[in-house]
Every structure is written in C-alpha cells, then in structure tokens.
Amino acid sequence: MNELLPELDLVPPPRQRRLTVLLRWLLLIPQFIALAVLGVAVFFVAIIGWFAALVTGRLPGWAYYFLASYLAYATRVRASESLLIDRYPPFSFEAPGYPVQIELRPAELNRLAVLARIILVIPAAIVYAVLTAGWQTCAFFIWLIVLIMGRMPEPLFEATAAVARYLMRVESYWLMLTTAYPKRLFGDGTGQASPGANATKPFLMTTAGRVILIVFLVVGVASAITSGFGNRHDNNYSTSAQRINP
C-alpha cells in the first residue's frame, strides 16, 4: 500500500556555497569512512534481524532502531554527496534540525516475504544499480552545473531527489524496515508544489524532471552494457595472452 512507503523529507537550499560544492566529495571522506565502518555492523544486525523476523514477524526493537538510524544517516550523507543540500551532515544518528529526514512506516512483516526477501528485491535492486550508475556517470556534469550556477536547477533537483528517494526505499525494504515494495520512482504525480511546501512531500515532478530521470536510467543501462563489454574484452584478452604465453 502506498501509505506504507517510506518518505523522504527534503528541504533544498535556495543557493549553495560554491566553495563547499567545489570540495564536496573531499569534505565527505570522513562520512564515507564512518558509513563503511557502520556498514559492517549493519551486515550482522541485518542477519540477526532476518532470523528474528522469520520467527516473530518483526524486527527486534533494538535492531529496528539501529538499522533505521543508519538508513537516516546514510540518506543524509547521500543527499549531501548528490548536491541536494549544502549543510554538512552531522556525525549522529539523530539530526532533528537537519533539512533531510526520512519517515518510516513499520508494519508487521510477512514471514514468507522475509524468507524470500533476497529474491523479491532483485527487480528493485536492478533499478537501484542502474540509477546509481547513471547518476554517477553524470556526476561530474551535475557538479559543474551547481558549481557555476551556485544552485541546482529545479528539474535536475527533482531527478536527483527521485534517485535518492528510490534508493532509500530499496534499502529500507532490504533491511526489513518496511513491508512496502519500492515504487513510484517518477514521483507521486505531476505539477508544482505550493510555495513554501516541502519539495518532496508530496513529490510532484515536472516533465523536465522526469526526462532527466529517464536520462539517468538510459545512461546507467549504457554504462552497464559498456562495462560488460569491457570486462568480456579483458577476459578474452587474458585468455588469448595465456594461450600465447603458456
């Protein structure tokens, strides 16, 4: 049901400081290290939570809190990495005043869906991978646009926010924080949000924003195909070299 979908609560800045945009990914290195360390703990907590959910139909309270807190933290870092916001994310699970929040709507888990989670998530994981590859391929050009303009154009903001929201929904489903399957990649409708309203609640996308999101998808697919051909070429080359030099 749509009402169970996790929501992204994002308030974009009107302007961004060009210096922080210039150094954004360098400044976020400590955050990436923290996420990598936490990711190890998330792996083990998720496994424990999976067994518990399989038996009881829900995550233990401590596991739910830790995984939900990690997801919120990771989403804040991703928003900063994606140039959606200008404020540096705090090294904290709790950040009530930060302009990026997530809303999780927990419900009792279906044990069969928990058992088959790794299979059920495959279609969403493919879209996840394509979106990630597409945005990362375009990242330099996005960075350049924001650096020159001092802000992210609205259609580009919409497409990037759509990527961030979908990735958050896939991760929340994978971590069993929600029963809702990831969907609504292209927003909750079309149109313009009322002045002063949250940019992502409801998440209304313009036609231009959806076109850019499609570009991300196409570029991501092209990147995956190119990488596949490259790997196959490298493998063929290695095999040929082995035949020549036994």
Side-chain angles (χ1 to χ4, degrees), residues 134-182:
W135 192 93
Q136 289 178 346
T137 303
C138 299
F140 172 77
F141 302 101
I142 296 172
W143 171 80
L144 196 61
I145 290 171
V146 179
L147 182 64
I148 293 172
M149 298 183 62
R151 63 181 180 85
M152 183 175 285
E154 183 177 352
L156 185 55
F157 169 84
E158 292 173 1
T160 304
V163 172
R165 187 176 79 153
Y166 189 80
L167 299 192
M168 180 270 294
R169 286 180 172 176
V170 173
E171 290 166 359
S172 65
Y173 180 77
W174 172 245
L175 293 174
M176 297 168 291
L177 297 170
T178 180
T179 59
Y181 199 81

Side-chain angles (χ1 to χ4, degrees), residues 17 24 27-31 80 86-91 98:
R17 294 165 293 176
R24 181 64 53 88
L27 294 172
L28 286 176
I29 288 177
Q31 299 283 358
S80 179
D86 194 40
R87 285 179 57 185
Y88 195 79
F91 289 94
Y98 199 72

Side-chain angles (χ1 to χ4, degrees), residues 105-120:
R105 287 106 185 256
E108 186 172 352
L109 298 170
N110 182 300
R111 291 177 177 83
L112 182 59
V114 171
L115 179 64
R117 185 65 51 111
I118 194 171
I119 298 175
L120 295 174

Side-chain angles (χ1 to χ4, degrees), residues 15-173:
R15 304 285 299 178
Q16 297 205 41
R17 294 165 293 176
R18 288 182 173 86
L19 182 59
T20 62
V21 173
L22 177 66
L23 302 175
R24 181 64 53 88
W25 295 316
L26 181 62
L27 294 172
L28 286 176
I29 288 177
Q31 299 283 358
F32 298 148
I33 294 174
L35 283 175
V37 173
L38 287 171
V40 176
V42 166
F43 174 78
F44 290 105
V45 172
I47 291 177
I48 295 172
W50 182 82
F51 280 106
L54 199 58
V55 175
T56 66
R58 63 178 61 250
L59 286 174
W62 64 269
Y64 186 93
Y65 172 79
F66 179 78
L67 295 175
S69 298
Y70 168 82
L71 180 60
Y73 175 40
T75 302
R76 291 193 292 269
V77 174
R78 181 180 295 135
S80 179
E81 177 189 7
S82 303
L83 304 176
L84 289 169
I85 53 172
D86 194 40
R87 285 179 57 185
Y88 195 79
F91 289 94
S92 174
F93 279 166
E94 304 290 339
Y98 199 72
V100 179
Q101 302 289 331
I102 65 172
E103 294 182 12
L104 297 172
R105 287 106 185 256
E108 186 172 352
L109 298 170
N110 182 300
R111 291 177 177 83
L112 182 59
V114 171
L115 179 64
R117 185 65 51 111
I118 194 171
I119 298 175
L120 295 174
V121 80
I122 289 176
I126 293 173
V127 178
Y128 181 110
V130 169
L131 283 172
T132 301
W135 192 93
Q136 289 178 346
T137 303
C138 299
F140 172 77
F141 302 101
I142 296 172
W143 171 80
L144 196 61
I145 290 171
V146 179
L147 182 64
I148 293 172
M149 298 183 62
R151 63 181 180 85
M152 183 175 285
E154 183 177 352
L156 185 55
F157 169 84
E158 292 173 1
T160 304
V163 172
R165 187 176 79 153
Y166 189 80
L167 299 192
M168 180 270 294
R169 286 180 172 176
V170 173
E171 290 166 359
S172 65
Y173 180 77

